[in-house]
């Protein structure tokens, strides 16, 4: 059975996705957006405490990602610091001008989205979901917690993690696997 194109992109690094986005690959942008939206919305919601403003700012952040993808230069295995820097800049500009900046959205011709109550609830849930999972990650045994954070949250390579933890890649893989199994069990107990 052939793998769908979107499925392949799910496994791409942020650097590959951003390169494809720079070449106008909408599917790559969708993957990148889904991958980073919870973190960006969570950050913006914590900073603004307003779901509507956070959603507007997130739209501006990802519009800026579209416009600046060609200039991205990978310095880490993940683009998280780069996207967060864009979010901080968008938030800072909005605070200075006392309104949500719309420059990137206007350049792309994207209209503001009107949010209804369901959208606002989903925005808050998205931010809360990430915070809730991160709280569960903090409860893991230290070796598993550090491995899960390095691999899943920071998206670092197993070889790099193993070097920093002074152990083999196999040990790191086992710690990540055990940590994720514990997380899954905790989430099932919490939601069950």
């Amino acid at each position: 059975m052939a793998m769908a194109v979107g499925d392949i992109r799910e496994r791409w690094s942020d650097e590959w996705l951003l390169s494809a986005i720079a070449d106008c690959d909408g599917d790559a942008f969708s993957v990148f957006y889904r991958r980073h939206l919870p973190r960006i919305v969570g950050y913006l919601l914590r900073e603004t405490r307003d779901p509507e403003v956070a959603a507007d700012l997130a739209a501006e952040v990802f519009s800026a990602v579209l416009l600046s993808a060609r200039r991205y230069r990978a310095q880490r295995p993940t683009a998280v610091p780069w996207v967060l820097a864009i979010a901080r800049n968008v938030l800072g500009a909005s605070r200075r001008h006392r309104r949500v900046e719309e420059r990137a959205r206007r350049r792309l011709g994207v209209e503001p989205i009107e949010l209804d109550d369901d959208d606002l609830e989903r925005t808050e849930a998205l931010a809360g979901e990430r915070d809730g999972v991160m709280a569960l990650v903090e409860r893991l045994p230290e070796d598993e917690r550090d491995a899960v954070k390095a691999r899943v949250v920071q998206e670092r390579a197993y070889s790099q993690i193993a070097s920093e933890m002074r152990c083999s890649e196999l040990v790191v893989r086992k710690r990540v696997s055990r940590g994720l199994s514990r997380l899954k069990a905790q989430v099932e107990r919490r939601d069950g």
Side-chain angles (χ1 to χ4, degrees):
M1 179 172 169
M3 185 177 286
V5 174
D7 294 337
I8 292 169
R9 285 181 182 84
E10 293 290 338
R11 293 185 282 167
W12 284 7
S13 69
D14 285 346
E15 182 178 11
W16 283 15
L17 288 170
L18 286 162
S19 177
I21 291 166
D23 291 333
C24 301
D25 183 333
D27 291 331
F29 178 76
S30 293
V31 171
F32 188 86
Y33 177 82
R34 285 191 313 272
R35 183 179 291 174
H36 295 289
L37 182 65
R39 178 176 283 119
I40 297 305
V41 168
Y43 165 73
L44 294 169
L45 194 53
R46 281 190 301 278
E47 291 294 318
T48 64
R49 302 195 191 301
D50 184 327
E52 288 188 59
V53 172
D56 285 345
L57 290 169
E60 183 67 9
V61 168
F62 285 100
S63 294
V65 164
L66 275 170
L67 293 170
S68 58
R70 190 167 303 285
R71 293 190 309 266
Y72 176 75
R73 298 292 173 258
Q75 296 178 359
R76 297 182 183 184
T78 176
V80 169
W82 181 74
V83 179
L84 282 171
I86 291 172
R88 280 191 292 276
N89 290 340
V90 166
L91 178 63
S94 292
R95 285 179 171 160
R96 281 190 304 281
H97 299 113
R98 295 191 172 134
R99 63 181 167 78
V100 174
E101 285 294 310
E102 299 176 351
R103 186 180 358 208
R105 283 188 295 177
R106 278 195 305 256
R107 281 184 60 195
L108 292 170
V110 176
E111 292 295 319
I113 299 169
E114 294 295 323
L115 300 177
D116 60 24
D117 289 341
D118 289 341
D119 294 325
L120 295 175
E121 285 179 26
R122 280 195 299 274
T123 301
E124 290 174 337
L126 193 58
E129 185 177 300
R130 181 182 186 281
D131 292 342
V133 170
M134 289 309 293
L136 294 176
V137 168
E138 292 301 326
R139 293 185 194 159
L140 292 173
E142 183 178 0
D143 59 341
E144 293 174 12
R145 180 186 65 230
D146 293 345
V148 166
K149 280 182 171 180
R151 179 66 185 154
V152 178
V153 177
Q154 299 165 353
E155 299 179 0
R156 293 172 34 217
Y158 283 111
S159 59
Q160 181 185 14
I161 300 165
S163 174
E164 289 175 10
M165 292 185 163
R166 300 178 192 265
C167 61
S168 70
E169 282 186 46
L170 183 61
V171 169
V172 172
R173 287 178 188 276
K174 196 65 172 170
R175 289 176 181 174
V176 170
S177 176
R178 284 186 189 137
L180 292 176
S181 292
R182 285 183 208 268
L183 279 176
K184 180 180 177 193
Q186 288 177 0
V187 168
E188 287 172 353
R189 278 194 304 271
R190 182 190 71 183
D191 295 343

